[in-house]
Amino acid sequence: MNNIYIIGIGLIGGSLAIDIKSNYVGAKIFGIDSNESHLDDALNLNLIDEKATYDDLYNADLIILSIPVDKAVIELPKVLDRIGEQTLVIDVGSTKFPICKSVENHKNRHHFLATHPIAGTEFSGPKAAIAHLFDKKTNIICEVEKTTFKLQEKALQLFRDLGMRIRYMNPEAHDKHIAYVSHLSHISSFMLGKTVIDKERNERDIFDMAGSGFESTVRLAKSSPAMWTPIFKQNRENVIETLDEYINNLKHFKALMEAEDFDEVYNEMKNTNHIKDILQGLV
């Protein structure tokens, strides 16, 4: 792959650029972004070699769409309108059903592979890009059967070179599962941060008392609202379902506290310790 176009030079797009450059010496990376300062930063950081526009996309061997999911459903069809015969297009969005739906009848649908690398940090923009972000991370691929086999092979080789593990899933299942393991985590973090901020208006010492446990729990609350609001909107039904279950668990825990049933409080926490065994495979 010689000519690689990244649309959206933020944390994910920029980190992909770093790892692609280190794995593909002959690759030339072009950047497209609605934010001109992001492109300037990407050039200064050597994430990209040149700026580009959609008119250049017919030259691409690979196009990576790394923009907020509400923009992706609009821009993906436009991208597929402009590609060459050998071009592979992938997206990296955190929702998959709306994105796949947006191009289901496009004449160049077979050039597109829907993916979601489960990787990231709480930071955004090209300055947040880091090397090896995707190493040993899972990459969810949806509707692989709708992508030309030759382009599938090209994509899988790229993912292997970047150290990713591959998992196949249909878009509906992806969006349902990701609501639990990612989207709910972000909502919990945002709302914990809000709760403490609201309380801090009256008790200014609260932040002085916040330790590493608080810091790690609210880390995701630093994430970009511009990115996460569209995700919650697109995955609204699944997110509401996960919130219902989460709120019910919180209410149950509160009821145990009110009843002073600390044996059952202990059991709730003890049973939940099993999560460390589930997460062992992520280390």
Side-chain angles (χ1 to χ4, degrees), residues 125-269:
K127 292 179 180 178
I130 55 175
H132 312 301
L133 179 64
F134 308 96
D135 187 40
K136 296 181 176 62
K137 300 299 194 304
T138 299
N139 191 9
I140 308 295
I141 297 178
C142 296
E143 297 188 336
V144 67
E145 72 283 356
K146 295 186 179 182
T147 307
T148 300
F149 184 70
K150 183 170 64 174
L151 295 179
Q152 290 180 35
E153 288 186 311
K154 183 190 289 190
L156 291 173
Q157 187 59 57
L158 170 66
F159 302 148
R160 282 192 291 267
D161 290 341
L162 269 52
M164 296 184 193
R165 297 186 292 243
I166 304 300
R167 177 86 187 270
Y168 297 96
M169 199 174 288
N170 70 57
E172 294 91 341
H174 168 276
D175 288 2
K176 184 176 183 65
H177 296 320
I178 206 70
Y180 283 93
V181 297
S182 175
H183 302 172
L184 181 60
S185 301
H186 281 79
I187 294 170
S188 300
S189 186
F190 277 116
M191 290 303 98
L192 175 60
K194 178 184 185 302
T195 301
V196 174
I197 288 170
D198 289 346
K199 190 67 175 177
E200 191 266 350
R201 293 171 186 166
N202 299 317
E203 298 182 17
R204 300 198 59 84
D205 290 338
I206 198 163
F207 281 110
D208 293 334
M209 298 168 63
S212 58
F214 175 77
E215 184 179 3
S216 62
T217 307
V218 298
R219 177 180 64 84
L220 296 178
K222 302 174 190 174
S223 301
S224 166
M227 182 181 80
W228 279 98
T229 303
I231 291 172
F232 297 148
K233 183 178 180 180
Q234 281 195 1
N235 207 21
R236 175 179 170 274
E237 290 184 7
N238 287 317
V239 168
I240 289 172
E241 180 183 321
T242 65
L243 280 171
D244 281 340
E245 295 186 34
Y246 187 49
I247 290 167
N248 286 338
N249 279 322
L250 289 174
K251 286 180 175 177
H252 176 64
F253 195 89
K254 181 186 176 189
L256 293 177
M257 294 286 291
E258 289 171 339
E260 300 186 13
D261 188 352
F262 292 105
D263 288 339
E264 193 55 33
V265 167
Y266 173 87
N267 289 333
E268 286 279 297
M269 293 189 291

